[in-house]
Amino acid sequence: MNEQVVIYLKSGQSVNGQLARTFKPNDIDIEILTASDQGRELFSLEEVCVVAFAKAPSWLRFDAPDGNEQIQTTAGKTFHAEVFSADHCRLGFFGLLLDKTAPCRTVFFTFSGVRSRNQERHVGQILIDDQLVSQKQMSEVLDSQERLRKRRLGEVIAETAEVPMDTIEKTLKSTGPVPATSSHIRVGDILVESGLVTREQVEKAFASQEKGKKLKVGELLVSRGLITEKQLLKALADKFRLRFVDLSTLIPSPEALDAISEGLVGRLQIFPLELNDRTLVVATSAPTDPTVRDALGFSTGYAIELVVATEKQIVRAIETYYRSQDVISSLLNDMDEEAQSITVQERADDEALSSETDSTVIAVVNRLLVDAYKRGASDIHFEPDGNKNPILVRYRIDGECEIAHRIASTYKGAIVARLKIISGLDITERRRPQSGKILLHFQQRKLEYRVEVTPTVGGLEDVVLRLLSASKPLPLAEMGFMPYNLERFRALLEKPYGMILCVGPTGSGKTTTLHSALSQINTPKRKIWTVEDPVEITQAGLRQVQVNRKVGFSFAEALRSFLRADPDVIMIGEMRDVETAKIAIEASLTGHLVFSTLHTNSAPETVVRLVEMGLDPFNFADALLGITAQRLARRLCASCKEPLQPTREVYDELLVMFEREADRLPESLPAYADTRFMAAKGCDRCNGSGYRGRIALHELLLSSSGIKRAIRNGLSVEEVRQIALEEGMWTLRMDGIMKIFSGETDLEQVNKVCI
């Protein structure tokens, strides 16, 4: 074949020769005729760092380059090349050496043979290209960095010790010129002896001077608030061709956790994620530190693939996964001050527990229930695993699950048994799902948990608890309605009779909205009945009833009773069947104001769904007053959110998105030059996420003559939607866009909850 190549091996050796057969990047080996004796020699690509070709292979076609990079091999050799990647190359990537005089310019780098990759673009240029900072801002920061590096000790003392610079210069001149070879401490000695500053102030100034010399551009940009730590790390990941990961969405493999000791993880501040064959994937927040990969490779014996994550996420992951053996003791320690204020209503004797259960398990379960409440969780997931893997305890906070604790597997049977006992379930039944409730009193608060036990593979059981904290209803003005929707929704509540529906998926805040509406009209002059399953929010003045399916007491049965109990207003927790819906419509047509919820995706869809369920379209059209659909989006943390000038492209994109929904532009929007969004930053109060709490997005459809005709004529969802839009309805996405402009959330969260 006469194709000359040079093979650079991981051992540090290089071999010259000719290809014995055509080399393709997905081959597992390469065969050459050595230049010395023309003998054949076969090399596995596992042994190879680089294959350099005197002439590019005839089959090779380069696409657009990814950029210029400095590539260092595991053998310590450094190459500067224009890099080309291709989807069909599974084992490496091609490059073209920048040195045009090199005899072999076309090179193939194996992934396993590359120690590090470094874009020739500096981080500042990457941030500019990504439009995170402007060229002007970058120039100002570079000037500031240069000034910090050239600061004299006297200048630093003038800043830190608040001594006038002219006084310092006068003192130094009075002692004669300082020798050029004199150290900084010599200047400090003169100032200390003159009584201008103390020795401690000099040492502090010297440390500040040294720190200023070492400050990098990225650190200066973060310190000035121009970019976030996350944005800087993403740029560094891009520069070093590393993946950026969100640790909150990943669960590490047990093999990866076992591969690195807790001591090494804590010292290097890294976190292992997965072990694939002989490659260990490890997250770091210091991609510029070359010692991390070397230390890990030497300690574990594996090839190391670094990925990038934020420091806060790494610290949290270490606490969650490596210090789980201390979870039981720490939970018990935390219990000391609160133990007297926690009381669980027992449903069975403690003797029913398995032999492995003792007071420790009882205390730990109590603590977990209270811990979830204090951290604002809506759900608690207990997830035991097979073998010796620990029990994962996950909390759903602000709509997203996160791992809160890992508890030793020896407790899995005892914890599940304890949860069954206090929720009144059969601990001997492990083959069928069970449902129950836990009642807990904590610091004069009544907490209620809805419990669902589900059998899983391997004879295990998952337990999920929904926290139903008895609380007061929020004022309607605090429910997140935009002024336009709030005014129209309040007008519905003034109606003497009719039906108002609140729709959306489970956990979207429907019941909370209806209770806020009821609190608006809850006066001694009105008799209000509610039937719910379960009663989550209590209000003085309301007569509240809970469904009991075990004795056949259903929504429909309760409604029939209400109609004989002289009601003015009726609230139905959920219209689950046609019978309940028909009674509700009859009640609204006979002089009662009826509220209810339904599981549908949008307000127009609700209109069509109820007719398709079998309701009389004429009665339904006459009864309906309005429908509000809602979703919950994560709210930007009020403690750390920061103003952001959006790019013109993003501003225009939101306007186009709004207009696409309704064929019109929003009213009273600020001009682009005056627009300021709010951006997630991250702080201790929001655990570094940038989000804290949730805000509702609303879609309010009012019953009008056009909507009534659409119901009676059986029009489709799209036709009903178009009529509602023409009459002024805002869709969920439109409401979300307005809340982006008001600084309450961002586009990422709106897109997550709006189809």
Side-chain angles (χ1 to χ4, degrees), residues 65 67-71 78-84 95-107 109 118-121:
N68 296 343
E69 295 185 15
Q70 175 183 293
I71 301 161
T78 301
F79 295 84
H80 294 268
E82 189 176 27
V83 170
F84 302 82
L96 193 63
L97 297 184
L98 298 179
D99 182 3
K100 296 183 179 181
T101 64
C104 299
R105 286 194 65 202
T106 303
V107 289
F109 299 94
N118 184 349
Q119 277 200 70
E120 298 289 356
R121 283 192 307 166

Side-chain angles (χ1 to χ4, degrees), residues 156-174:
V156 182
I157 291 175
E159 294 172 8
T160 59
E162 298 183 356
V163 178
M165 190 62 200
D166 56 352
T167 303
I168 292 176
E169 290 177 345
K170 188 182 296 183
T171 303
L172 293 175
K173 287 179 181 178
S174 67

Side-chain angles (χ1 to χ4, degrees), residues 496-534:
Y497 59 86
M499 186 163 64
I500 299 172
L501 299 175
C502 187
V503 303
T506 301
S508 59
K510 302 185 295 295
T511 302
T512 304
T513 297
L514 289 190
H515 268 282
S516 293
L518 290 178
S519 71
Q520 182 87 4
I521 60 174
N522 183 10
T523 66
K525 294 182 179 181
R526 277 183 163 166
K527 179 65 176 283
I528 303 176
W529 286 96
T530 78
V531 54
E532 302 166 71
D533 184 23

Side-chain angles (χ1 to χ4, degrees), residues 1 173-174 337 362 386 450 486 563 614 635-636 675 691 699:
M1 299 188 65
K173 287 179 181 178
S174 67
E337 297 181 0
I362 294 172
R450 189 167 61 204
L486 180 60
L563 292 175
R635 186 192 294 269
L636 291 167
T675 299
Y691 303 95
E699 177 178 277

